[in-house]
Amino acid sequence: GENVEQHPSTLSVQEGDSAVIKCTYSDSASNYFPWYKQELGKGPQLIIDIRSNVGEKKDQRIAVTLNKTAKHFSLHITETQPEDSAVYFCAAMDEKLTFGTGTRLTIIP
Amino acid sequence: EAGVAQSPRYKIIEKRQSVAFWCNPISGHATLYWYQQILGQGPKLLIQFQNNGVVDDSQLPKDRFSAERLKGVDSTLKIQPAKLEDSAVYLCASSLGGGKNEQYFGPGTRLTVT
């Protein structure tokens, strides 16, 4: 089955700086890669996704890149704000979603 | 639009007891998922329903876990008997259809087995 690894497990950045979270996957059949944000006491919420026929996608301060050859994808958050503090999960989908282990992002004011 | 509803939000039981969780998906969503999220890990799919039929239950421990979605709307997940390792957050999600349709998650039920 699919295996998704995510790094780092924790990340602290100064407000206004950029944050980068990286994931690798094992199943070359995976073709959909969503990113979720989970705040304390809430369920995960989709923030951006990318499909295998696209190398990069951007939505305001959030961007995702995908390298299918290397089987890795990354989340980039620019101009970070305190409300970006949360746990972020990457996921890969062939027939079902397989999640990474999460990154706890802390924005330091 | 109302989101995915789950109850209870918290539950504490002793090992070997039984417990049930309830989920009401977003109206009109045909696909419903139950995930288990152990502390410090990502969610893991337990079972996926399309309307009232099971699409994938390959990771559901069927000796103790069961789930149903009888009328194709709300769903119940049951654990009987519970083990210590079942302590986790149980998340319900729904989507318009399966595949790459966006999944909307409920707030989860935090289960503690003592």
Side-chain angles (χ1 to χ4, degrees):
Chain A
E2 176 65 274
N3 181 49
V4 178
E5 295 189 356
Q6 183 171 347
H7 300 280
S9 58
T10 61
L11 179 61
S12 295
V13 300
Q14 290 289 137
E15 182 179 352
D17 287 350
S18 296
V20 179
I21 302 170
K22 299 182 178 182
C23 290
T24 61
Y25 62 98
S26 61
D27 188 350
S28 57
S30 289
N31 54 16
Y32 174 62
F33 307 91
W35 286 87
Y36 290 84
K37 176 182 181 182
Q38 187 171 27
E39 297 175 320
L40 194 62
K42 298 183 178 180
Q45 181 181 15
L46 179 71
I47 55 172
I48 195 168
D49 57 12
I50 191 167
R51 298 170 193 267
S52 60
N53 58 344
V54 175
E56 185 173 355
K57 183 176 179 181
K58 189 173 181 180
D59 182 4
Q60 299 183 350
R61 298 185 297 108
I62 295 174
V64 60
T65 59
L66 171 65
N67 183 327
K68 284 219 72 177
T69 302
K71 296 198 190 79
H72 65 71
F73 55 116
S74 301
L75 176 72
H76 303 252
I77 306 174
T78 59
E79 302 172 11
T80 53
Q81 302 168 1
E83 53 266 36
D84 294 330
S85 293
V87 178
Y88 290 81
F89 291 96
C90 62
M93 171 179 264
D94 173 13
E95 295 182 349
K96 63 172 178 269
L97 274 180
T98 300
F99 285 81
T101 49
T103 297
R104 181 173 298 279
L105 175 63
T106 302
I107 306 303
I108 305 167
Chain B
E1 177 182 80
V4 176
Q6 290 189 248
S7 67
R9 292 296 313 276
Y10 306 92
K11 190 74 177 179
I12 301 174
I13 62 172
E14 295 182 352
K15 59 184 179 183
R16 291 187 289 275
Q17 287 187 324
S18 62
V19 64
F21 313 126
W22 174 81
C23 171
N24 187 246
I26 293 172
S27 178
H29 280 196
T31 308
L32 185 147
Y33 311 80
W34 283 102
Y35 288 86
Q36 179 192 59
Q37 185 175 23
I38 293 172
L39 187 64
Q41 298 182 20
K44 183 185 83 171
L45 180 68
L46 292 175
I47 189 167
Q48 176 185 343
F49 291 96
Q50 179 74 16
N51 296 308
N52 60 350
V54 175
V55 173
D56 184 350
D57 64 356
S58 58
Q59 298 187 100
L60 186 74
K62 298 180 187 63
D63 57 335
R64 298 183 301 106
F65 286 64
S66 64
E68 60 184 16
R69 193 184 185 200
L70 292 177
K71 296 182 179 179
V73 180
D74 55 355
S75 175
T76 303
L77 176 69
K78 296 179 181 177
I79 308 175
Q80 182 180 13
K83 293 185 175 181
L84 296 177
E85 58 261 35
D86 298 332
S87 294
V89 174
Y90 290 84
L91 295 163
C92 179
S94 70
S95 65
L96 280 172
K100 302 174 183 61
N101 284 279
E102 180 177 353
Q103 295 185 23
Y104 296 82
F105 285 82
T109 297
R110 180 175 296 278
L111 173 68
T112 302
V113 182
T114 63

